[in-house]
Amino acid sequence: MKRRPLFAANWKMNKTAAEARDYVTSFWGGAEALVTRADIVLCVPFVDLEAVHVALEPSSVKLGAQDCYWEPKGAYTGEISPGMLASLAVAYCIVGHSERRRLFGETDATVARKTAALLEAGITPIVCVGETLEERQAGLTRQRVSEQIVAALGQFSDEQRGRLVIAYEPVWAIGTGVADDPCSANETMHAMRQMLGGLSDTRLLYGGSMNADNASMCCAQADIDGGLVGSASLDPRNFIQLIINGLKAS
Ligand code: PGA
């Protein structure tokens, strides 16, 4: 059975609460026309969650966060728990983004703990994996992606894995304007789908310089179920056009 397409915006560290409200005002009408055909998610900074939650109330667009901690509460200064996210109707949360791995010391082990805590809280984790340019050039793409997937998902049942989303984001393609070739991305993602005894229900997103021009070629690939979109999601009209183009092909 074909998996339902999913398009997730990753705003990263962009937009104040006021800017976030303006975005939703321009976005939700166009997005609403597309939610019968795809899940659409806005992964916003923590400080924007409340504003976007309220602004999205009349809409079927879902709210997402960009990170969390795994403990439910306590002395963890600066951290946010999955339960706190759930209380704001957060439905999805990115974990293990390469920027968090590279800049903030995220490891495969911490990604696994966060993924488990999110599932426990009823939030869908979007687990990011992907190789660096050096790993790519050394022919280590599948090995690295496999290590990340086994570490993050190995502990779960098939049923739990089916509720997860994995974003394949080659690190060298993120924010560079140079996306992976769609066929090459699909080959890697096809290999990912065979991992852990088969991930046929798990939605696999491509991320890394996806834009309105390449979305349809990306989404035409058999193992690509949508996108995790950074720069091209920051303008509401661009993001809607990207989703429209992606859905033409999926
Ligand atoms: P990009 O970012 O679309 O700007 O490359 C994607 C991501 O980091 O999730």
Side-chain angles (χ1 to χ4, degrees):
M1 197 174 74
K2 189 105 175 73
R3 296 161 295 267
R4 183 170 159 80
L6 167 63
F7 294 88
N10 176 9
W11 286 0
K12 308 192 182 184
M13 195 174 73
N14 291 291
K15 301 193 190 295
T16 63
E19 289 165 346
R21 268 191 291 271
D22 286 348
Y23 182 106
V24 174
T25 305
S26 322
F27 182 70
W28 84 267
E32 207 53 26
L34 301 168
V35 288
T36 51
R37 299 167 58 206
D39 289 332
I40 300 176
V41 186
L42 299 178
C43 297
V44 308
F46 289 135
V47 294
D48 296 343
L49 285 170
E50 171 82 36
V52 176
H53 168 46
V54 171
L56 280 178
E57 216 125 51
S59 153
S60 310
V61 174
K62 299 279 190 255
L63 183 59
Q66 300 174 10
D67 188 29
C68 70
Y69 195 57
W70 56 80
E71 293 291 347
K73 61 165 127 172
Y76 305 103
T77 303
E79 294 298 324
I80 304 285
S81 72
M84 291 169 167
L85 298 178
S87 74
L88 285 170
V90 168
Y92 291 81
C93 183
I94 298 170
V95 272
H97 190 281
S98 70
E99 286 148 16
R100 297 220 59 87
R101 292 178 191 260
R102 184 167 49 87
L103 301 171
F104 303 102
E106 189 89 276
T107 64
D108 288 349
T110 58
V111 172
R113 295 186 79 168
K114 291 178 179 188
T115 305
L118 285 165
L119 279 177
E120 178 80 10
I123 296 172
T124 301
I126 302 177
V127 181
C128 299
V129 302
E131 81 286 0
T132 62
L133 187 58
E134 294 71 37
E135 288 160 346
R136 173 83 155 206
Q137 286 169 339
L140 296 174
T141 298
R142 285 192 196 178
Q143 184 185 318
R144 180 62 191 126
V145 167
S146 167
E147 283 164 6
Q148 290 171 319
I149 289 181
V150 170
L153 275 67
Q155 59 182 317
F156 302 120
S157 66
D158 288 348
E159 185 274 326
Q160 287 170 314
R161 287 179 199 142
R163 287 195 274 130
L164 285 159
V165 176
I166 304 177
Y168 168 59
E169 299 203 305
V171 177
W172 49 270
I174 295 175
T176 60
V178 182
D180 197 359
D181 170 72
C183 296
S184 152
N186 191 63
E187 274 173 31
T188 304
M189 293 165 77
H190 185 71
M192 286 164 55
R193 213 174 274 295
Q194 319 309 315
M195 291 170 189
L196 293 172
L199 297 169
S200 54
D201 293 336
T202 306
R203 286 186 289 183
L204 302 185
L205 310 183
Y206 170 77
S209 298
M210 187 186 263
N211 57 39
D213 294 332
N214 61 26
S216 96
M217 269 292 279
C218 283
C219 297
Q221 309 297 320
D223 286 295
I224 302 185
D225 303 316
L228 179 57
V229 185
S231 324
S233 73
L234 292 176
D235 177 277
R237 283 157 296 269
N238 269 351
F239 189 39
I240 285 174
Q241 193 58 52
L242 183 156
I243 299 168
I244 290 171
N245 294 354
L247 285 174
K248 273 185 202 147
S250 65

